[in-house]
Amino acid sequence: MTDYDVIVIGGGSTGTAVARDCALRGLKTLLLERDDIASATVGTCAGMISSGFKYYDEPDIMDMCSQEVVYFRRIARHIIMKDPILMPFSELEELTRGGEASSFTDEYAKRAKERGVPPVMFLSPEQSLSIEPSLNPDMAACLYYEEYFIDPFRLCLLQAIDAKQHGATIKTYCEVTGIEATKPAKRVTFYNRATRQVECADGKLIVNAGGPWAGKVAAMAGAPLDLRLNKGAHVILDRRIVNVGISSKAADGRWIYLYPHENTTLLGTTALDTWEDPDVIVASHDEIEYLLKSMEWVVPSIRQARIIRTMEGVRPLVPEWKRSEDKVTRGYRIIDHEKDGVDGLISFTGGKLVMCRHMAEAVTNLVSKKLGRETVCRTHLDSLPGNGADVDVLALAAEYGLSQHAVERLRARRGTETSAVLALTKEHPEWKSTICTCEPVIEAELRYAIRNEFPQTIGDLRRRVRLGTGPCQGTFCTFKAAAVLAEELDLSGEQYQLEMIDFLAERWKGKRPPMRGGQLGQEELTQGLYACVANLDHTDLPYELKPWEEAA
Amino acid sequence: MDIETDLVVIGGGMAGLVAGSVAAEAGLDVVLLRKGHGATAQSSGAIDIIGYVPGATAYLMNPVEGLHALSAMCPFHPYSALGRSQEGVPSDPGRVVSRVHSSVQWLKDKSSGSCGALKGDLEENIQAVSLLGTSKPTCLIQETMWNDTPPSHDSVILFAGLRGLPDFNPSSAVKAFMANRPYGEEGPRKAVSCILDVSSSGKPFNLSQIEIAQFVDHDAGLSALANSIGGQVLKTGADYVAVPPILGVERARENRRQLEEMTGATVFELTAFPPSVPGLRLQTSLEAVFRKADGRLLAGHEATEVRQAGDLVQVIAARAPRRTIEIRSTAVVLASGKFLAGGLVGDERGVRESLMGLPIVDSDLIPTGDSRPQRLTGVIPLSPEGHPLFGVGLAFDSSFHPVAADGSPIAQNLFAAGSVLAGYNYAVEKSGLGVALATGFAAGANAAAYVKGVQ
Ligand SMILES: Cc1cc2nc3c(=O)[nH]c(=O)nc-3n(C[C@H](O)[C@H](O)[C@H](O)COP(=O)(O)OP(=O)(O)OC[C@H]3O[C@@H](n4cnc5c(N)ncnc54)[C@H](O)[C@@H]3O)c2cc1C
Ligand SMILES: Cc1cc2nc3c(=O)[nH]c(=O)nc-3n(C[C@H](O)[C@H](O)[C@H](O)COP(=O)(O)OP(=O)(O)OC[C@H]3O[C@@H](n4cnc5c(N)ncnc54)[C@H](O)[C@@H]3O)c2cc1C
């Protein structure tokens, strides 16, 4: 007897997409995630679902990406947004060198209409400055194109919830510690961090979507898996400091960008090969200054912006070595470890957020074949939860007496679910109170998320509702959210206090590396609340050091 | 020159207002420039003297003992400087205690009868319970937060929240309160929670402490609160009712008395996060003291330049929304606060004093102006050690002159006080308003003595 057809290891963009596809095809599926959904690499990415514009030297990939964008617009349009992007050039010849321009503009134009974007345009400095006045006027021209961005946290969560609604079992805080490739079933042993118990499950096949940990996961089954791990940093600015995205060449000639993202702006990214444990990596001073220095050439006022934090992620690239990171394929590989004598284990290397659905389709095809099941993929056709009719934000704001901004932000996360969240306030009008003022997030959404989206910590709530991601970085919402969580999950007095300390520690991880400017006063305020008044710096609570704290 | 005066105080928090008031009471003509609200107005209003010796985990029952310990262990702490009659001699703990005591006594006297009236004693720390159900050792608290007899073993304590006030969740606070037992093993065994319906506007969400407190200052608000609390007291048998600090802005003490009469229970306020009503009451009552001493408060005025000639500062330029002014002054007290208030600023190159670029040191007197702020932080956000970043500030001598690297005063007539000074991390020590009070008191007196000496 096996419990499951498929056991998916990893709850990032890849793993949740795989679980969704398997569940939609009627396979009995279990997803095991060591932490929370979208807690690793995918949560540190820019969320760009690129048309593949940058990968013009890999036409197949460009083609795949632009097709995926079309699908995302079909299945998840409520959580995506479009940003125009300007790419300034200092010399005209840069634009035409080696016929590059024509090849990528042609590729880009292929599905432009289906993607709902105009073809690439060339803008004069005057035209460019009228769109984005903060640009350095010293330019020859700008390339103009449009790209889509998705909320990576919501995408993963919605994929997981959709999988669940189609019969999959989703277990977060369950870390796989062993894989026994016995026949016919494979036994997966895992440590459940919530219950502090070791548990196990049997499955016919195992899909390893462990991202940068995929090598470690494969090794548990005795299978070799090489990955090229490459870390990248983002510097996050406190608001949308530019009207449009900007793409430009960095100090070393690589491409970097400045993207308005949700209520913030992302400056990224670096690309450095790494052999460090992904759990302990934080952005370095060099990475931060590299990004600022590089962007300063095109946006001279960049240093006046307030930096609120950094984030650092590790890309699990295809193991192509002895070439620079940007020459490594952006594609993915599916490795059936049968060839290594480990039957029933399938791993990924490479890939991107934008490809997660495609990766899932390919692996589920292979899974079906191996299981001898005839299945049809529907992930590009069926909506993710909340993707439905238009939501009338203005009418809802008026009906509930809430600000239009608050309702629009709610809509951008929840689409058609917005009404269900707001309906909670009919019985509890006090739940219209704003818990996170930066984003903003109202109490009703927190309660809704806690009841329907299986968060266990305030950090999990952050991924679900963007709590604590704004300029104050949790100073004014941590204690309010902890109290609501404690009430809903019936946490003990100790757990309630630890929740606050844990979340502040997680925020501090990203706040600390770039500490400067306005954030110094902000941090004094945070210390004022949680140390000076609440005295949480002097507790005998059983706080467990975080991996990056232990490593320091 | 637009204004000529004896003393210019830069900064309108605890340190600046105390320095200005003391100097004005001594007969000086004082002009105080205040850019905006700093930490004082954001504080919980509880005046910490010293709660923990730096790095220690056990709290101090008696601040006097703490001042003795600091005087011996932390020579560069602002309190320790109070114990030196001149440079180079060890700090005398008796002198520290007596000077802190004088400043405390002065503040208690001055604020007596006002909305910021204080209770407490330098010889005893009390546990102030916060909105989270945690507590900290502090020394002086406003009368509306004070209990003559703390809740005992048999007491029933009711944490009462207000519908629509998201700052306070009484059910979670009760859990933390019972886990922490701030009143010790003798404290109450039973704590319960409830939600009161008291809204001024009828709007049941996004209420602030301040708008509720203003409502309670009116008879309608007070009776709504009293009815609501009264009902819950009957239901739960509570003899103590802990509420957020909403008992009033101006009439809080009187309101409390009436509430207790009407409900039969002891009603007291918890400490809260900003924007808190007690912080506002403290700020307001300090301003009243300063005005009463005939000080001139120029709100909305930011000092932009301090001009120095030889070993004297002479002219202060300031900017307000619609004007710029120049002031010639015989002496200056710099009480511009830390990062939050803008007294100190920092970028990737280091930390600076914002107005004059005065030298910056850390708690060990090591120059840190060129240290990147991140280097002055630890990897754990909350710990009894705190971050060195929040102990940096101006180096100063025993007269509270800011000093250069060689220890000599920057100017004979320039003094500094409050959190712009180096040598202590108020958040972890629990010493913020106490240091601001004691150093403001000393700097104000020194500035007055200087001005009188040259006149
Ligand atoms: C800085 C940066 C920017 C990027 N920007 C973009 C972009 O704009 N657009 C784009 O398309 N792509 C982008 N990417 C790439 C993209 O983020 C990743 O390729 C993709 O998200 C990887 O997803 P994943 O699910 O494979 O990995 P992850 O998100 O890392 O998920 C793997 C999961 O496996 C879990 N796991 C590991 N070991 C175990 C175990 N033993 N038991 C249980 N669970 C386990 C982990 O906790 C983790 O949640 C970017 C990447 C980086 C680093
Ligand atoms: C959230 C929080 C809670 C706290 N709670 C407590 C507590 O419960 N108990 C306690 O004892 N301590 C507490 N503290 C610490 C305490 O508030 C501070 O240590 C103390 O208020 C510092 O007083 P100060 O006068 O030195 O500075 P501030 O009160 O910060 O005042 C500085 C003043 O200088 C002004 N200023 C700055 N630059 C200029 C300029 N160029 N021109 C004109 N004016 C200028 C500012 O506008 C401000 O008015 C808390 C701090 C915070 C942040």
Side-chain angles (χ1 to χ4, degrees):
Chain A
M1 246 300 279
T2 48
D3 308 320
Y4 298 97
D5 294 325
V6 190
I7 298 178
V8 182
I9 301 173
S13 47
T14 315
T16 54
V18 173
R20 173 177 186 243
D21 201 340
C22 291
L24 256 61
R25 297 199 210 189
L27 303 177
K28 208 160 175 247
T29 308
L30 167 69
L31 183 145
L32 294 170
E33 163 56 50
R34 158 190 94 112
D35 201 278
D36 182 29
I37 298 297
S39 57
T41 317
V42 66
T44 64
C45 85
M48 178 163 172
I49 41 173
S50 162
S51 61
F53 194 38
K54 261 176 69 186
Y55 325 134
Y56 56 86
D57 48 356
E58 290 187 278
D60 293 353
I61 303 245
M62 194 160 168
D63 203 43
M64 177 217 300
C65 288
S66 76
Q67 179 65 61
E68 287 303 308
V69 174
V70 174
Y71 293 148
F72 274 123
R73 292 189 70 215
R74 182 187 298 156
I75 67 166
R77 73 188 175 106
H78 56 312
I79 54 167
I80 65 181
M81 52 198 154
K82 187 164 66 172
D83 269 336
I85 295 173
L86 290 175
M87 189 189 272
F89 287 92
S90 51
E91 282 162 45
L92 276 174
E93 71 170 61
E94 272 186 74
L95 275 170
T96 48
R97 184 167 18 95
E100 277 178 8
S102 61
S103 67
F104 62 62
T105 54
D106 290 352
E107 281 294 326
Y108 178 91
K110 251 190 185 171
R111 283 196 184 81
K113 197 147 175 257
E114 270 178 286
R115 295 203 313 274
V117 300
V120 171
M121 290 184 272
F122 294 91
L123 302 186
S124 70
E126 294 70 34
Q127 287 169 318
S128 309
L129 284 164
S130 72
I131 298 175
E132 185 45 68
S134 64
L135 280 178
N136 186 344
D138 186 15
M139 64 170 116
C142 273
L143 203 70
Y144 173 102
Y145 57 104
E146 294 180 4
E147 293 281 18
Y148 287 92
F149 291 78
I150 195 160
D151 179 336
F153 300 110
R154 292 300 304 171
L155 173 65
C156 296
L157 188 75
L158 294 179
Q159 290 183 150
I161 289 177
D162 200 35
K164 213 173 153 190
Q165 286 171 357
H166 286 87
T169 305
I170 308 287
K171 282 182 170 260
T172 55
Y173 293 98
C174 288
E175 174 162 6
V176 173
T177 51
I179 300 173
E180 244 179 289
T182 49
K183 276 187 179 168
K186 325 285 160 257
R187 169 153 297 187
V188 174
T189 314
F190 56 95
Y191 175 66
N192 186 326
R193 282 162 61 185
T195 60
R196 296 184 182 254
Q197 300 284 320
V198 176
E199 301 173 29
C200 58
D202 293 345
K204 292 178 186 147
L205 286 174
I206 298 170
V207 176
N208 169 12
W213 294 270
K216 281 195 180 162
V217 171
M220 290 178 199
L225 184 70
D226 194 19
L227 284 168
R228 181 159 171 191
L229 299 185
N230 189 271
K231 64 177 178 176
H234 280 110
V235 170
I236 308 179
L237 308 172
D238 71 333
R239 71 194 79 174
R240 294 174 77 99
I241 65 154
V242 275
N243 300 322
V244 299
I246 290 162
S247 184
S248 172
K249 277 201 171 160
D252 55 357
R254 289 178 56 254
W255 287 101
I256 56 157
Y257 51 76
L258 189 66
Y259 292 148
H261 175 78
E262 308 280 355
N263 285 335
T264 62
T265 303
L266 295 180
L267 169 59
T269 171
T270 55
L272 297 160
D273 287 307
T274 178
W275 288 265
E276 187 52 280
D277 173 0
D279 281 332
V280 308
I281 301 182
V282 295
S284 71
H285 181 62
D286 279 343
E287 286 177 282
I288 296 164
E289 291 302 321
Y290 162 91
L291 290 169
L292 288 168
K293 171 80 193 158
S294 301
M295 195 46 75
E296 214 170 1
W297 282 309
V298 283
V299 181
S301 59
I302 185 90
R303 282 183 195 272
Q304 283 162 30
R306 175 160 155 195
I307 300 175
I308 55 177
R309 62 183 291 110
T310 50
M311 58 183 180
E312 182 96 16
V314 175
R315 305 175 182 89
L317 301 180
V318 170
E320 296 177 349
W321 298 100
K322 299 197 177 178
R323 56 177 71 173
S324 71
E325 168 271 345
D326 49 5
K327 296 284 180 297
V328 175
T329 177
R330 276 329 188 232
Y332 65 88
R333 307 270 181 272
I334 290 176
I335 291 117
D336 183 345
H337 293 287
E338 201 179 327
K339 68 167 172 56
D340 307 313
V342 183
D343 190 18
L345 178 70
I346 306 169
S347 295
F348 284 107
T349 62
K352 303 262 317 170
L353 167 70
V354 60
M355 296 169 198
C356 66
R357 197 212 59 82
H358 194 277
M359 295 163 79
E361 179 174 350
V363 93
T364 313
N365 287 344
L366 176 63
V367 163
S368 303
K369 194 169 136 208
K370 288 181 88 96
L371 292 175
R373 302 268 289 265
E374 290 261 331
T375 61
V376 183
C377 178
R378 298 198 51 82
T379 52
H380 56 308
L381 301 171
D382 295 357
S383 284
L384 285 168
N387 183 56
D390 280 344
V391 176
D392 190 341
V393 170
L394 301 188
L396 285 173
E399 181 185 344
Y400 286 93
L402 284 163
S403 82
Q404 294 171 355
H405 178 55
V407 179
E408 167 52 22
R409 297 300 299 156
L410 184 59
R411 190 228 34 94
R413 288 186 283 273
R414 312 209 161 256
T416 53
E417 262 183 317
T418 305
S419 312
V421 173
L422 292 175
L424 291 177
T425 67
K426 287 192 174 136
E427 200 177 324
H428 289 282
E430 69 276 16
W431 291 355
K432 289 185 201 168
S433 286
T434 314
I435 299 296
C436 164
T437 33
C438 299
E439 181 46 32
V441 181
I442 62 167
E443 184 167 340
E445 190 185 5
L446 276 194
R447 304 249 179 201
Y448 184 90
I450 297 170
R451 292 173 187 184
N452 298 293
E453 300 177 345
F454 52 86
Q456 297 195 19
T457 68
I458 311 178
D460 297 356
L461 279 172
R462 168 179 69 84
R463 286 179 276 270
R464 282 151 185 75
V465 306
R466 292 191 64 78
L467 178 96
T469 56
C472 95
Q473 286 291 300
T475 309
F476 286 102
C477 66
T478 302
F479 69 99
K480 297 177 201 159
V484 174
L485 193 72
E487 216 172 64
E488 289 281 337
L489 300 184
D490 197 21
L491 301 183
S492 72
E494 278 199 349
Q495 286 169 320
Y496 157 56
Q497 296 173 74
L498 278 170
E499 266 310 309
M500 291 186 262
I501 301 177
D502 281 343
F503 187 60
L504 292 169
E506 186 282 329
R507 292 286 84 190
W508 181 240
K509 178 189 182 193
K511 285 196 283 183
R512 182 173 177 241
M515 279 287 276
R516 65 188 72 182
Q519 220 54 3
L520 301 181
Q522 182 66 53
E523 194 51 34
E524 187 184 346
L525 198 54
T526 311
Q527 294 284 325
L529 269 70
Y530 295 95
C532 190
V533 179
N535 209 13
L536 288 175
D537 55 328
H538 285 90
T539 63
D540 41 22
L541 296 167
Y543 174 73
E544 283 170 25
L545 284 181
K546 307 285 167 276
W548 62 91
E549 294 174 343
E550 248 170 4
Chain B
M1 211 46 58
D2 302 297
I3 302 176
E4 308 242 347
T5 186
D6 296 332
L7 177 65
V8 165
V9 177
I10 301 167
M14 171 70 100
L17 285 164
V18 169
S21 302
V22 168
E25 284 171 0
L28 265 58
D29 184 22
V30 183
V31 173
L32 186 144
L33 301 172
R34 187 189 77 190
K35 180 169 80 171
H37 277 328
T40 303
Q42 306 264 14
S43 76
S44 78
I47 296 177
D48 303 342
I49 300 295
I50 181 80
Y52 296 88
V53 172
T57 45
Y59 81 91
L60 291 156
M61 310 282 265
N62 182 344
V64 168
E65 277 168 26
L67 294 174
H68 275 266
L70 287 179
S71 173
M73 289 161 47
C74 308
F76 311 125
H77 197 289
Y79 281 139
S80 303
L82 293 169
R84 276 191 286 271
S85 51
Q86 63 188 81
E87 293 324 295
V89 302
S91 174
D92 167 6
R95 192 178 146 93
V96 175
V97 173
S98 95
R99 293 183 73 186
V100 173
H101 186 266
S102 316
S103 65
V104 164
Q105 204 48 51
W106 176 87
L107 184 66
K108 283 177 79 172
D109 291 347
K110 294 292 161 185
S111 53
S112 150
S114 79
C115 66
L118 294 164
K119 291 267 197 173
D121 179 345
L122 186 58
E123 311 224 309
E124 190 181 1
N125 269 329
I126 35 188
Q127 287 293 329
V129 180
S130 78
L131 284 184
L132 306 187
T134 62
S135 72
K136 72 155 168 178
T138 188
C139 188
L140 307 173
I141 51 178
Q142 294 179 359
E143 283 185 21
T144 44
M145 309 183 125
W146 172 266
N147 288 316
D148 283 331
T149 38
S152 70
H153 212 52
D154 306 318
S155 317
V156 175
I157 180 165
L158 170 68
F159 282 73
L162 289 103
R163 191 172 312 282
L165 175 72
D167 298 16
F168 181 42
N169 181 312
S171 76
S172 297
V174 161
K175 289 183 188 169
F177 177 83
M178 290 313 280
N180 297 333
R181 303 199 63 82
Y183 299 113
E185 289 314 310
E186 296 307 300
R189 272 171 310 174
K190 193 168 173 205
V192 290
S193 68
C194 73
I195 297 282
L196 309 173
D197 277 288
V198 183
S199 163
S200 54
S201 51
K203 180 185 81 170
F205 63 98
N206 275 345
L207 297 181
S208 70
Q209 294 168 39
I210 289 175
E211 77 187 278
I212 298 171
Q214 281 167 343
F215 182 50
V216 174
D217 270 344
H218 293 105
D219 294 341
L222 183 62
S223 59
L225 185 62
N227 289 338
S228 210
I229 293 180
Q232 291 294 338
V233 166
L234 280 180
K235 208 160 108 188
T236 58
D239 32 27
Y240 285 82
V241 182
V243 292
I246 45 91
L247 293 184
V249 182
E250 278 152 26
R251 287 178 22 184
R253 291 183 315 141
E254 173 57 18
N255 291 342
R256 179 193 193 186
R257 201 186 51 71
Q258 289 194 28
L259 275 175
E260 298 194 332
E261 251 169 39
M262 291 190 270
T263 62
T266 302
V267 182
F268 69 101
E269 294 177 326
L270 300 164
T271 56
F273 291 162
S276 87
V277 174
L280 181 69
R281 287 186 210 133
L282 172 66
Q283 180 75 34
T284 316
S285 72
L286 290 171
E287 285 170 16
V289 173
F290 179 65
R291 288 210 173 89
K292 202 166 159 209
D294 286 331
R296 273 169 77 188
L297 193 150
L298 298 184
H301 283 67
E302 177 183 2
T304 51
E305 196 191 344
V306 177
R307 274 176 236 145
Q308 184 166 356
D311 67 350
L312 293 179
V313 289
Q314 288 179 329
V315 175
I316 301 93
R319 178 172 59 207
R322 273 176 297 279
R323 63 169 184 170
T324 55
I325 53 169
E326 295 206 337
I327 311 175
R328 182 177 297 278
S329 180
T330 315
V332 173
V333 172
L334 185 64
S336 50
K338 262 208 160 47
F339 300 106
L340 183 60
L344 303 182
V345 291
D347 60 20
E348 68 281 8
R349 285 160 301 185
V351 177
R352 293 182 309 287
E353 184 279 314
S354 61
L355 189 56
M356 304 175 66
L358 299 173
I360 295 289
V361 296
D362 69 8
S363 290
D364 297 319
L365 226 57
I366 313 275
T368 46
D370 294 334
S371 307
R372 199 188 316 146
Q374 179 264 344
R375 291 241 165 128
L376 299 168
T377 59
V379 70
I380 296 173
L382 294 171
S383 73
E385 291 76 37
H387 302 292
L389 178 64
F390 298 109
V392 307
L394 303 181
F396 55 93
D397 66 14
S398 59
S399 312
F400 293 94
H401 289 115
V403 296
D406 64 359
S408 63
I410 301 289
Q412 290 307 321
N413 62 345
L414 176 65
F415 302 86
S419 58
V420 73
L421 300 177
Y424 71 113
N425 181 336
Y426 70 76
V428 294
E429 282 177 25
K430 322 300 172 207
S431 65
L433 289 164
V435 170
L437 167 62
T439 58
F441 195 75
N446 293 349
Y450 171 85
V451 171
K452 290 189 168 165
V454 297
Q455 267 168 358

